[in-house]
Amino acid sequence: MKEITLENGEILQMQEPTVRVLKNADKKEGEMEKAIYMIATLTNKTEQEIEALGLKDYMSLQKALQDFLVEAGVTA
């Protein structure tokens, strides 16, 4: 699990992605849609809540997701 602090001070906990999350994300169109789906699922937020975040917060969450994927050998 990773903790990400948003600009407003809220702390989100991101779970490690599962095979199911990757499988369901693969059904989404486009890389950004896949990332938003995974971030929302792994932080127990809605996709709309993730889409409403500021860019700096979104990039922090995207980096945490990318770190999980790199650690698992899914991406380089």
Side-chain angles (χ1 to χ4, degrees):
M1 181 182 342
K2 295 182 186 295
E3 288 192 348
I4 300 93
T5 303
L6 303 182
E7 288 289 297
N8 65 5
E10 181 181 2
I11 297 172
L12 294 184
Q13 293 182 337
M14 182 180 286
Q15 302 297 321
E16 182 176 351
T18 62
V19 172
R20 178 174 290 129
V21 170
L22 291 175
K23 178 182 166 191
N24 290 336
D26 199 44
K27 298 175 185 174
K28 299 284 185 178
E29 294 288 327
E31 292 304 311
M32 189 165 207
E33 292 298 321
K34 290 177 183 182
I36 290 170
Y37 167 80
M38 286 193 284
I39 291 168
T41 301
L42 299 172
T43 59
N44 292 316
K45 295 286 186 181
T46 66
E47 290 179 48
Q48 293 77 18
E49 288 173 310
I50 299 304
E51 290 172 351
L53 291 172
L55 191 55
K56 188 173 181 181
D57 286 335
Y58 175 76
M59 295 306 290
S60 294
L61 290 166
Q62 190 176 43
K63 181 182 181 328
L65 174 61
Q66 186 66 27
D67 288 349
F68 272 129
L69 297 175
V70 168
E71 289 168 14
V74 176
T75 60

